[in-house]
Amino acid sequence: MRSPDVQQLGMFSYVSVEDRVPTDHPIRKLRVLVDTILGELDGLLGERYAEGGRPSIPPERILRASLLQVVYSVRSERLLMEQMN
């Protein structure tokens, strides 16, 4: 079952992601591009998931995290999670 790609603002942090990234940072332009591409893939991604079962991590979130890992040359998912702060 595919979970919706909903951003949970402030669940574990008092400072939102939007406040952490400067307004002129290049990653913001990349985010717009990636969101556009993932929006086009929404139907295809939806077809790949069963109707029932446990909710999964949204594939869009996994793809965004993987892209950040590549852009910032982070060698593992564990390090990526540590460096997100």
Side-chain angles (χ1 to χ4, degrees):
M1 184 166 123
R2 181 176 171 212
S3 295
D5 185 29
V6 177
Q7 304 256 336
Q8 296 178 348
L9 301 175
M11 183 170 174
F12 296 109
S13 176
Y14 296 110
V15 181
S16 72
V17 174
E18 293 297 321
D19 293 338
R20 290 177 188 236
V21 179
T23 56
D24 60 342
H25 198 281
I27 201 77
R28 288 187 177 270
K29 292 180 183 177
L30 183 61
R31 173 72 185 255
V32 172
L33 179 64
V34 168
D35 285 347
T36 303
I37 293 169
L38 290 175
E40 294 172 3
L41 292 175
D42 186 55
L44 179 65
L45 292 172
E47 292 173 3
R48 304 280 186 226
Y49 285 81
E51 293 296 321
R54 292 178 52 184
S56 67
I57 298 172
E60 296 89 348
R61 189 168 297 169
I62 295 171
L63 290 169
R64 282 189 201 102
S66 297
L67 182 61
L68 284 175
Q69 186 176 354
V70 170
V71 167
Y72 288 108
S73 301
V74 181
R75 62 179 191 256
S76 73
E77 288 87 5
R78 177 177 277 172
L79 285 175
L80 178 66
M81 293 297 108
E82 288 175 6
Q83 293 181 4
M84 291 295 270
N85 288 329

